[in-house]
Structures are given as C-alpha cells and as structure tokens.
Amino acid sequence: MAAPIALIQGASRGLGFQFCKHILKNKNPSTVIATCRNPDAAAELLGLAGQHPDRLTIVKLDVNKEEDIREAAERVKKNFGRLDLMVNSSALLHPSGKGETSLRDVSAQGIISTLTTNTVGPLVMAKYFAPLLQKGIGAFGRQPSEKAKQHSGIIVNITAKVGSIGDNGLGGWYSYRMSKAALNMATRNLSIELGRSRPKVVCVSLHPGTVDTDLSRPYHKNVPKERLFSTEHSVGCLMSIIEMLDFDKTGKAYNWDGAELPW
C-alpha cells in the first residue's frame, strides 16, 4: 500500500506543528506537506524537515491569499498527485490578540480579518485541494465493508467550542465565535457536496480543547490546570478521532474527547 499523505495548513507552530510531528512519528511510512506563510522564519519546522528530509515537505502558503492556495495545490498535484488528509489549523483570535468583551470593542476590520483567516481560508483550501483528496487512498480513518460508504480522504477543520451557537451562554468574542460558527457551516456544506462525490471525502470540525498556544495564552489564568492541554495531548486526542472517522461521521463537530458538539 502506498504511503499516507497528509497536508497540514498552518504548520509552523502550535497545533499545526504538532500534527506534523505526530504523523511523522506514529504513521510510518507517511508523507507530510506542511504549509505556512513564511517558511524561512519557521525555525522549528525547518528543523523537523531536516530530521525527515524524505518525508516532510514545506510549502509556502498564506491562507488569506487565494493565489497562494491555488499555486500550492498545483505544486502538490504535480509532486504528489493526491492527498489522504488535510487539516486546517491556522486560527486568529482577533487582530488585537484579545477577543471582544462587549459590542463597543467590535470593529468591521477586526471581524473581516478574523473571518478571512478562520473561515474563508479553510473553505478556499477545500476548493483547491478537494480534487486531490478525491484521489486519495483512504489511508486515514476507518473504511466500512460497504463500498458505497468508503472514503478517499478527510478534511479536518479545527473549530472551537465557543463557535457552537447551542452552547453559547456567555456571549462576547464576537469575531472569533462568528468565524468558528461560520466554519462549522462550511464543514457541513462541504460534507454534503463532497459526500455526493465518487469517491467520497469525509469532512468534520474538531475542537482541540483549551491548548497551551499563543492564541489562548492571554486567558490561561482562567483555565483550570487539568483543562489546559499541551499540544501533544490535544493532537493525540484529535488523531485518535481522525483514525476512527468514517462516512457516517461526516458533517459533524466533535470535541477532543470524541463527544459530538452541538452546532
């Protein structure tokens, strides 16, 4: 069987970087395509590529620029021909680094910037990379015996529990909540369209928990110690979910522990 191929968008740090490390370590042989805005400044990612020169390829891609995404997809198509997994992990809490606590903090540009990175980017990624996922070999997830429900690839959009409309009891964080709620709708739409394709692509949103990354760091003091996860723990949980995905689970959002999240 050919080696699995995974593309991790937003791979220079945080969850994205850990996804690269986890797959290289635990799914051998495998090939990882790591994308980020500025590869030359991604010291840790460059170091990881040095350790796995034949298995890790770094591709320049700014998720806010459609031309970057199109060019990256063409490069991946030419060099690899297919994908089995795509994880969209880039996220922006807010351009200021802090979520809005009230309506007076809201600005049009803040909302637009957050939506562009968190929602528009992953959807445009799907536009250009879905054809490569349709050529995948289903190396991630679980394949049923029923041919009609087998899948070729998986799209994972990293969401957040605060994007759940049904779970929102506190308010605030307008831009981030809206962007993740919209991302969940994009996931649902993608699951319907790509679920009609032959072969099928599974599409899910995954919540990683509160992770010790730059995005959440301003709010760590409010998080109980046992609920603040390392990137290693969070990605380990998420990869366990990914490896159990099948077509019956497409179009849904899941918590880090595998529980389904309300939209």
Side-chain angles (χ1 to χ4, degrees), residues 161-169 261-263:
K161 194 175 182 181
V162 296
S164 167
I165 295 173
D167 187 67
N168 184 3
L261 288 174
W263 289 125

Side-chain angles (χ1 to χ4, degrees), residues 111-130:
I111 293 172
I112 290 167
S113 297
T114 308
L115 283 166
T116 300
T117 297
N118 296 358
T119 310
V120 179
L123 183 58
V124 177
M125 288 287 294
K127 172 184 176 180
Y128 288 100
F129 285 99

Side-chain angles (χ1 to χ4, degrees), residues 181-256:
L183 178 64
N184 290 343
M185 179 60 82
T187 299
R188 181 67 172 172
N189 259 25
L190 288 167
S191 74
I192 294 169
E193 180 169 352
L194 298 179
R196 298 190 190 112
S197 65
R198 294 290 186 272
K200 303 176 186 299
V201 176
V202 171
C203 307
V204 296
S205 291
L206 297 183
H207 168 52
T210 303
V211 187
D212 187 8
T213 63
D214 292 341
L215 185 147
S216 65
R217 197 153 287 130
Y219 302 94
H220 285 180
K221 64 180 180 181
N222 300 320
V223 180
K225 187 176 180 180
E226 68 275 10
R227 284 294 185 178
L228 182 61
F229 298 156
S230 66
T231 57
E232 290 86 354
H233 177 76
S234 178
V235 168
C237 293
L238 297 182
M239 284 302 304
S240 294
I241 296 171
I242 290 168
E243 292 293 359
M244 293 301 291
L245 289 174
D246 57 31
F247 187 69
D248 289 334
K249 294 182 174 65
T250 195
K252 299 176 182 178
Y254 298 96
N255 196 29
W256 59 270

Side-chain angles (χ1 to χ4, degrees), residues 24-262:
L24 288 169
K25 179 180 178 180
N26 296 287
K27 203 160 180 78
N28 188 25
S30 59
T31 295
V32 175
I33 302 162
T35 80
C36 62
R37 286 182 298 175
N38 186 4
D40 292 339
E44 285 189 304
L45 189 58
L46 289 169
L48 189 63
Q51 297 171 32
H52 304 276
D54 298 325
R55 298 176 59 204
L56 177 61
T57 298
I58 301 175
V59 175
K60 183 181 182 301
L61 188 158
D62 184 340
V63 76
N64 295 330
K65 298 178 180 178
E66 184 167 359
E67 185 62 18
D68 267 22
I69 297 173
R70 184 187 65 78
E71 290 179 356
E74 290 178 352
R75 177 177 171 183
V76 172
K77 179 181 179 180
K78 179 180 178 181
N79 294 340
F80 300 94
R82 64 174 171 88
L83 286 177
D84 300 298
L85 172 68
M86 181 172 75
V87 178
N88 287 304
S89 67
S90 287
L92 176 69
L93 179 60
H94 187 271
S96 69
K98 295 183 178 181
E100 309 97 331
T101 57
S102 69
L103 192 57
R104 63 177 173 268
D105 299 323
V106 170
S107 70
Q109 191 54 54
I111 293 172
I112 290 167
S113 297
T114 308
L115 283 166
T116 300
T117 297
N118 296 358
T119 310
V120 179
L123 183 58
V124 177
M125 288 287 294
K127 172 184 176 180
Y128 288 100
F129 285 99
L132 295 175
L133 288 155
Q134 289 170 328
K135 295 178 180 178
I137 59 174
F140 291 86
R142 186 173 57 179
Q143 294 289 6
S145 57
E146 187 180 346
K147 186 75 172 177
K149 290 190 174 182
Q150 291 184 355
H151 67 271
S152 59
I154 296 173
I155 294 175
V156 171
N157 291 324
I158 299 299
T159 189
K161 194 175 182 181
V162 296
S164 167
I165 295 173
D167 187 67
N168 184 3
L170 295 175
W173 288 26
Y174 282 89
S175 299
Y176 191 67
R177 285 187 187 273
M178 289 168 61
S179 71
K180 292 301 187 178
L183 178 64
N184 290 343
M185 179 60 82
T187 299
R188 181 67 172 172
N189 259 25
L190 288 167
S191 74
I192 294 169
E193 180 169 352
L194 298 179
R196 298 190 190 112
S197 65
R198 294 290 186 272
K200 303 176 186 299
V201 176
V202 171
C203 307
V204 296
S205 291
L206 297 183
H207 168 52
T210 303
V211 187
D212 187 8
T213 63
D214 292 341
L215 185 147
S216 65
R217 197 153 287 130
Y219 302 94
H220 285 180
K221 64 180 180 181
N222 300 320
V223 180
K225 187 176 180 180
E226 68 275 10
R227 284 294 185 178
L228 182 61
F229 298 156
S230 66
T231 57
E232 290 86 354
H233 177 76
S234 178
V235 168
C237 293
L238 297 182
M239 284 302 304
S240 294
I241 296 171
I242 290 168
E243 292 293 359
M244 293 301 291
L245 289 174
D246 57 31
F247 187 69
D248 289 334
K249 294 182 174 65
T250 195
K252 299 176 182 178
Y254 298 96
N255 196 29
W256 59 270
D257 60 3
E260 187 174 343
L261 288 174

